[in-house]
Amino acid sequence: MRRMRAKEGLRRMVRETHVLPQDLIYPLFIVTGSGVEEPLVSMPGISRYSADRLPEVAREVHKLGIAGVLLFGIPEYKDHMGSSAYDADGPVQKAIKVIKDTTPELVVITDVCMCEYTSHGHCGFLTDDGQVDNDRSLQMLAKETLSHAKAGCDMVAPSDMMDGRIAYLRKALDVEGFTNLPIMSYAAKYASAFYGPFREAAESAPAFGDRKSYQMDPPNVREAIREVELDIAEGADLVMVKPAMAYMDVIRAVKERFDVPLAAYNVSGEYSMVKAAAERGWIDEERIVTELLTGIKRAGADLIITYFACEFARRL
Ligand code: PBG
């Protein structure tokens, strides 16, 4: 009987995978204005904040031992060029400064993409006939990247999936003296239905068409290897697979082939499905979240970007 009490201890002793707060990155949606904390209907527990509300949030995230935050901006204005993406007073630029002023130890990563800033909602520059112009997109992404770097971010994470962007952004950063600023590349990013709630949160749904010309086709894994290989060759310091749950084999394949740090993005749809089922009492949320995050780590992710980060860390 007494020996039975050590059962959990024994189990822990031989456990192969542990998810720790320092493995987690917490995404944050930043809006303009002040005093804003706006709960998202399709992502229960997640809010959009104005920059002035961030000191409190950042302190809490840091206190929980979470590795860092990933910032997304919802700008005041959108235009064809997505010029608000490189506005020095934009929400992300402001947020970086506020967090670095109040919680300098917290790693601040910024998502670099045009879809939140363009009136058409695509991730790059559109020509008159509605095609994404890869090379002009790179110029805009470089402006956005540099504006985040100048505001003081610790790492940039391009999520646009344009060809050649890592080399282009690396060079742009180096030329401006940001030689030590690392790049985490959304290297294998699939054209997924799991981004649904995010597009509401970030107001970034494409006005027409889809992202299939620049994001990957879900059935492909060899292509993911090629994308990761290219991004590493172009200078990516960390690489990412996104989404996570339906792509655990991709995480594993990337892990086995490459030795750079690997992140997996446990995306909005993955989060909201769990929340919705838990609200109905159909699943045990805590156990499901632990099992999911553990599965993603066991598959090979060194870092997990997840909206569950705070609640998971709070429970530990
Ligand atoms: C921007 C971007 C998206 C996500 C992260 N960066 C949306 C998209 O590609 O449509 C999705 C994140 C999530 O669903 O949680 N390109």
Side-chain angles (χ1 to χ4, degrees), residues 27 29 43 72 111-116 123 159-160 186 189-190 192 194-199 204 206 211 215 242 265-269 307:
F29 298 106
M43 299 179 73
F72 294 93
D111 183 89
V112 171
C113 192
M114 301 309 293
C115 66
E116 297 114 86
C123 301
S159 69
D160 52 282
Y186 284 70
K189 177 175 177 183
Y190 288 87
S192 168
F194 282 101
Y195 309 147
F198 172 94
R199 291 182 185 171
S204 67
R211 305 208 203 288
Q215 297 184 350
K242 173 184 173 194
Y265 200 141
N266 175 218
V267 301
S268 59
Y307 304 96

Short mmCIF file of all heavy atoms in Angstrom, two decimals, residues 27 29 43 72 111-116 123 159-160 186 189-190 192 194-199 204 206 211 215 242 265-269 307, ligand 1:
data_model
loop_
_atom_site.label_atom_id
_atom_site.label_comp_id
_atom_site.label_asym_id
_atom_site.label_seq_id
_atom_site.Cartn_x
_atom_site.Cartn_y
_atom_site.Cartn_z
N PRO A 27 1.38 33.94 -28.07
CA PRO A 27 1.05 34.97 -29.07
C PRO A 27 0.19 36.08 -28.45
O PRO A 27 -0.66 35.81 -27.59
CB PRO A 27 0.21 34.21 -30.12
CG PRO A 27 0.29 32.75 -29.76
CD PRO A 27 0.60 32.69 -28.30
N PHE A 29 -2.13 39.64 -29.55
CA PHE A 29 -2.72 40.49 -30.59
C PHE A 29 -2.77 41.92 -30.07
O PHE A 29 -3.36 42.18 -29.02
CB PHE A 29 -4.14 40.01 -30.92
CG PHE A 29 -4.18 38.61 -31.47
CD1 PHE A 29 -4.63 37.55 -30.69
CD2 PHE A 29 -3.76 38.36 -32.76
CE1 PHE A 29 -4.67 36.26 -31.20
CE2 PHE A 29 -3.79 37.06 -33.28
CZ PHE A 29 -4.24 36.01 -32.50
N MET A 43 -12.02 32.74 -29.59
CA MET A 43 -10.87 32.19 -28.86
C MET A 43 -11.02 32.50 -27.37
O MET A 43 -10.34 33.37 -26.84
CB MET A 43 -9.57 32.79 -29.41
CG MET A 43 -9.34 32.50 -30.88
SD MET A 43 -7.82 33.25 -31.50
CE MET A 43 -6.59 32.19 -30.74
N PHE A 72 1.42 40.13 -32.91
CA PHE A 72 0.66 40.37 -34.13
C PHE A 72 -0.02 41.73 -34.00
O PHE A 72 -0.57 42.03 -32.94
CB PHE A 72 -0.43 39.31 -34.32
CG PHE A 72 0.12 37.94 -34.57
CD1 PHE A 72 0.31 37.05 -33.52
CD2 PHE A 72 0.45 37.53 -35.87
CE1 PHE A 72 0.82 35.78 -33.76
CE2 PHE A 72 0.95 36.27 -36.10
CZ PHE A 72 1.15 35.39 -35.05
N ASP A 111 5.81 38.75 -35.52
CA ASP A 111 5.37 38.11 -36.75
C ASP A 111 5.53 39.13 -37.87
O ASP A 111 5.09 40.26 -37.75
CB ASP A 111 3.90 37.70 -36.62
CG ASP A 111 3.40 36.95 -37.83
OD1 ASP A 111 3.51 35.71 -37.85
OD2 ASP A 111 2.88 37.59 -38.76
N VAL A 112 6.23 38.71 -38.93
CA VAL A 112 6.41 39.62 -40.07
C VAL A 112 5.58 39.08 -41.23
O VAL A 112 5.85 37.99 -41.74
CB VAL A 112 7.90 39.69 -40.47
CG1 VAL A 112 8.06 40.46 -41.78
CG2 VAL A 112 8.71 40.35 -39.36
N CYS A 113 4.54 39.83 -41.59
CA CYS A 113 3.67 39.43 -42.69
C CYS A 113 2.85 40.65 -43.08
O CYS A 113 2.70 41.58 -42.30
CB CYS A 113 2.75 38.30 -42.25
SG CYS A 113 1.91 37.53 -43.66
N MET A 114 2.31 40.64 -44.29
CA MET A 114 1.55 41.80 -44.73
C MET A 114 0.04 41.63 -44.57
O MET A 114 -0.71 42.59 -44.71
CB MET A 114 1.85 42.09 -46.22
CG MET A 114 3.30 42.37 -46.55
SD MET A 114 4.08 43.62 -45.51
CE MET A 114 3.16 45.06 -46.02
N CYS A 115 -0.43 40.42 -44.28
CA CYS A 115 -1.88 40.17 -44.38
C CYS A 115 -2.73 40.98 -43.42
O CYS A 115 -3.88 41.29 -43.71
CB CYS A 115 -2.19 38.68 -44.26
SG CYS A 115 -1.84 37.98 -42.65
N GLU A 116 -2.17 41.35 -42.26
CA GLU A 116 -2.95 42.18 -41.34
C GLU A 116 -3.01 43.64 -41.79
O GLU A 116 -3.80 44.42 -41.28
CB GLU A 116 -2.35 42.14 -39.92
CG GLU A 116 -2.35 40.78 -39.26
CD GLU A 116 -0.94 40.27 -39.05
OE1 GLU A 116 -0.31 40.59 -38.04
OE2 GLU A 116 -0.47 39.54 -39.96
N CYS A 123 -0.76 38.17 -48.16
CA CYS A 123 0.47 38.27 -47.37
C CYS A 123 1.57 39.06 -48.08
O CYS A 123 2.67 39.20 -47.55
CB CYS A 123 0.97 36.88 -47.00
SG CYS A 123 -0.25 35.95 -46.04
N SER A 159 6.22 35.14 -41.67
CA SER A 159 5.22 34.09 -41.84
C SER A 159 4.54 34.17 -43.21
O SER A 159 3.53 33.53 -43.44
CB SER A 159 4.16 34.19 -40.74
OG SER A 159 3.36 35.34 -40.91
N ASP A 160 5.11 34.97 -44.09
CA ASP A 160 4.47 35.25 -45.37
C ASP A 160 4.61 34.14 -46.41
O ASP A 160 3.80 34.03 -47.31
CB ASP A 160 5.10 36.50 -45.95
CG ASP A 160 6.62 36.33 -45.97
OD1 ASP A 160 7.24 36.48 -44.90
OD2 ASP A 160 7.17 35.98 -47.03
N TYR A 186 8.92 30.81 -40.44
CA TYR A 186 7.77 29.92 -40.62
C TYR A 186 8.11 29.15 -41.90
O TYR A 186 7.64 29.49 -42.98
CB TYR A 186 6.50 30.72 -40.87
CG TYR A 186 5.83 31.42 -39.70
CD1 TYR A 186 6.40 32.52 -39.09
CD2 TYR A 186 4.57 31.00 -39.27
CE1 TYR A 186 5.74 33.20 -38.06
CE2 TYR A 186 3.90 31.67 -38.25
CZ TYR A 186 4.49 32.77 -37.65
OH TYR A 186 3.82 33.43 -36.65
N LYS A 189 4.84 26.17 -43.64
CA LYS A 189 3.54 26.70 -43.25
C LYS A 189 2.50 26.26 -44.28
O LYS A 189 2.62 26.58 -45.46
CB LYS A 189 3.60 28.21 -43.16
CG LYS A 189 2.26 28.85 -42.84
CD LYS A 189 2.39 30.34 -42.64
CE LYS A 189 1.03 30.96 -42.39
NZ LYS A 189 1.13 32.41 -42.26
N TYR A 190 1.52 25.53 -43.80
CA TYR A 190 0.54 24.93 -44.70
C TYR A 190 -0.67 25.84 -44.90
O TYR A 190 -1.05 26.59 -44.01
CB TYR A 190 0.09 23.58 -44.13
CG TYR A 190 1.18 22.53 -44.25
CD1 TYR A 190 2.15 22.38 -43.26
CD2 TYR A 190 1.26 21.72 -45.39
CE1 TYR A 190 3.17 21.43 -43.39
CE2 TYR A 190 2.27 20.78 -45.51
CZ TYR A 190 3.21 20.64 -44.52
OH TYR A 190 4.21 19.71 -44.65
N SER A 192 -3.90 26.05 -44.38
CA SER A 192 -4.69 25.25 -43.46
C SER A 192 -6.01 25.91 -43.08
O SER A 192 -6.09 27.13 -42.97
CB SER A 192 -3.85 25.03 -42.19
OG SER A 192 -4.64 24.50 -41.15
N PHE A 194 -7.13 25.46 -40.21
CA PHE A 194 -6.98 25.68 -38.76
C PHE A 194 -6.70 27.13 -38.39
O PHE A 194 -6.59 27.44 -37.22
CB PHE A 194 -5.87 24.78 -38.21
CG PHE A 194 -6.28 23.34 -38.02
CD1 PHE A 194 -5.92 22.36 -38.94
CD2 PHE A 194 -7.02 22.95 -36.90
CE1 PHE A 194 -6.30 21.04 -38.76
CE2 PHE A 194 -7.39 21.63 -36.72
CZ PHE A 194 -7.03 20.67 -37.65
N TYR A 195 -6.50 28.01 -39.36
CA TYR A 195 -6.23 29.42 -39.03
C TYR A 195 -7.51 30.25 -38.91
O TYR A 195 -7.44 31.46 -38.73
CB TYR A 195 -5.34 30.09 -40.11
CG TYR A 195 -4.09 29.35 -40.47
CD1 TYR A 195 -3.58 29.39 -41.77
CD2 TYR A 195 -3.39 28.61 -39.52
CE1 TYR A 195 -2.42 28.71 -42.11
CE2 TYR A 195 -2.24 27.91 -39.86
CZ TYR A 195 -1.76 27.96 -41.16
OH TYR A 195 -0.63 27.28 -41.50
N GLY A 196 -8.67 29.61 -39.01
CA GLY A 196 -9.95 30.33 -39.01
C GLY A 196 -10.11 31.37 -37.92
O GLY A 196 -10.29 32.56 -38.20
N PRO A 197 -10.04 30.99 -36.65
CA PRO A 197 -10.25 31.99 -35.58
C PRO A 197 -9.21 33.10 -35.58
O PRO A 197 -9.53 34.25 -35.28
CB PRO A 197 -10.14 31.15 -34.29
CG PRO A 197 -10.41 29.74 -34.72
CD PRO A 197 -9.88 29.63 -36.12
N PHE A 198 -7.98 32.78 -35.97
CA PHE A 198 -6.93 33.81 -36.03
C PHE A 198 -7.31 34.92 -37.00
O PHE A 198 -7.08 36.10 -36.73
CB PHE A 198 -5.60 33.18 -36.49
CG PHE A 198 -4.51 34.19 -36.77
CD1 PHE A 198 -3.58 34.53 -35.80
CD2 PHE A 198 -4.40 34.80 -38.02
CE1 PHE A 198 -2.59 35.45 -36.06
CE2 PHE A 198 -3.41 35.73 -38.29
CZ PHE A 198 -2.50 36.05 -37.31
N ARG A 199 -7.87 34.54 -38.12
CA ARG A 199 -8.19 35.55 -39.13
C ARG A 199 -9.25 36.52 -38.62
O ARG A 199 -9.29 37.67 -39.02
CB ARG A 199 -8.56 34.90 -40.46
CG ARG A 199 -7.31 34.25 -41.06
CD ARG A 199 -7.54 33.61 -42.39
NE ARG A 199 -6.33 32.91 -42.82
CZ ARG A 199 -6.27 32.11 -43.86
NH1 ARG A 199 -7.35 31.89 -44.59
NH2 ARG A 199 -5.13 31.52 -44.17
N SER A 204 -7.53 39.44 -40.78
CA SER A 204 -6.59 39.26 -41.87
C SER A 204 -7.05 38.26 -42.92
O SER A 204 -6.24 37.73 -43.67
CB SER A 204 -5.24 38.79 -41.30
OG SER A 204 -5.37 37.50 -40.75
N PRO A 206 -8.21 36.92 -46.35
CA PRO A 206 -8.09 37.49 -47.68
C PRO A 206 -9.46 37.94 -48.22
O PRO A 206 -10.46 37.24 -48.03
CB PRO A 206 -7.51 36.36 -48.53
CG PRO A 206 -7.52 35.14 -47.71
CD PRO A 206 -7.81 35.51 -46.29
N ARG A 211 -4.76 31.40 -49.90
CA ARG A 211 -3.31 31.54 -49.81
C ARG A 211 -2.57 30.35 -50.42
O ARG A 211 -1.41 30.11 -50.12
CB ARG A 211 -2.89 31.67 -48.35
CG ARG A 211 -3.58 32.80 -47.59
CD ARG A 211 -2.69 33.30 -46.46
NE ARG A 211 -3.40 33.96 -45.40
CZ ARG A 211 -3.96 35.17 -45.49
NH1 ARG A 211 -3.92 35.83 -46.62
NH2 ARG A 211 -4.56 35.69 -44.44
N GLN A 215 1.22 29.33 -49.59
CA GLN A 215 1.34 28.39 -48.47
C GLN A 215 1.33 26.96 -49.01
O GLN A 215 0.90 26.71 -50.12
CB GLN A 215 0.20 28.61 -47.47
CG GLN A 215 0.24 30.02 -46.84
CD GLN A 215 -0.82 30.23 -45.77
OE1 GLN A 215 -1.73 29.42 -45.59
NE2 GLN A 215 -0.72 31.35 -45.08
N LYS A 242 3.93 24.62 -39.04
CA LYS A 242 2.65 25.21 -38.67
C LYS A 242 1.56 24.73 -39.62
O LYS A 242 1.78 24.77 -40.82
CB LYS A 242 2.78 26.73 -38.74
CG LYS A 242 1.50 27.48 -38.55
CD LYS A 242 1.74 28.94 -38.73
CE LYS A 242 0.40 29.64 -38.70
NZ LYS A 242 0.45 30.97 -39.17
N TYR A 265 3.80 25.59 -34.28
CA TYR A 265 2.74 26.54 -33.94
C TYR A 265 1.42 25.80 -33.75
O TYR A 265 0.85 25.27 -34.70
CB TYR A 265 2.61 27.59 -35.06
CG TYR A 265 1.92 28.87 -34.65
CD1 TYR A 265 2.37 30.10 -35.13
CD2 TYR A 265 0.81 28.88 -33.80
CE1 TYR A 265 1.74 31.30 -34.77
CE2 TYR A 265 0.19 30.07 -33.43
CZ TYR A 265 0.65 31.26 -33.92
OH TYR A 265 0.03 32.44 -33.57
N ASN A 266 0.99 25.74 -32.50
CA ASN A 266 -0.29 25.16 -32.12
C ASN A 266 -1.33 26.27 -32.35
O ASN A 266 -1.55 27.11 -31.51
CB ASN A 266 -0.16 24.77 -30.62
CG ASN A 266 -1.42 24.26 -29.98
OD1 ASN A 266 -1.68 24.57 -28.82
ND2 ASN A 266 -2.20 23.47 -30.66
N VAL A 267 -1.92 26.26 -33.55
CA VAL A 267 -2.63 27.45 -34.05
C VAL A 267 -4.04 27.65 -33.47
O VAL A 267 -4.55 26.81 -32.72
CB VAL A 267 -2.69 27.45 -35.60
CG1 VAL A 267 -1.30 27.44 -36.19
CG2 VAL A 267 -3.54 26.29 -36.10
N SER A 268 -4.65 28.75 -33.90
CA SER A 268 -5.92 29.18 -33.33
C SER A 268 -7.03 28.13 -33.41
O SER A 268 -7.75 27.92 -32.44
CB SER A 268 -6.38 30.47 -34.03
OG SER A 268 -6.52 30.26 -35.42
N GLY A 269 -7.16 27.46 -34.56
CA GLY A 269 -8.23 26.47 -34.70
C GLY A 269 -8.04 25.31 -33.75
O GLY A 269 -9.01 24.75 -33.21
N TYR A 307 -1.56 29.37 -27.65
CA TYR A 307 -2.46 30.23 -26.89
C TYR A 307 -2.75 29.63 -25.51
O TYR A 307 -3.32 30.28 -24.66
CB TYR A 307 -3.77 30.44 -27.68
CG TYR A 307 -3.51 31.00 -29.05
CD1 TYR A 307 -3.42 30.16 -30.17
CD2 TYR A 307 -3.30 32.36 -29.24
CE1 TYR A 307 -3.14 30.67 -31.44
CE2 TYR A 307 -3.02 32.87 -30.49
CZ TYR A 307 -2.94 32.02 -31.58
OH TYR A 307 -2.65 32.53 -32.82
C1 PBG B 1 -0.05 35.53 -40.93
C2 PBG B 1 -0.29 34.46 -39.95
C3 PBG B 1 -1.38 33.60 -39.81
C4 PBG B 1 -1.18 32.89 -38.63
C5 PBG B 1 0.03 33.29 -38.11
N1 PBG B 1 0.58 34.25 -38.94
C6 PBG B 1 -2.62 33.48 -40.61
C7 PBG B 1 -2.60 33.00 -41.99
O1 PBG B 1 -1.58 32.64 -42.56
O2 PBG B 1 -3.68 33.01 -42.57
C8 PBG B 1 -2.12 31.88 -38.04
C9 PBG B 1 -2.00 31.67 -36.58
C10 PBG B 1 -3.13 30.96 -35.94
O3 PBG B 1 -4.06 30.46 -36.61
O4 PBG B 1 -3.11 30.87 -34.71
N2 PBG B 1 0.25 35.13 -42.21
#
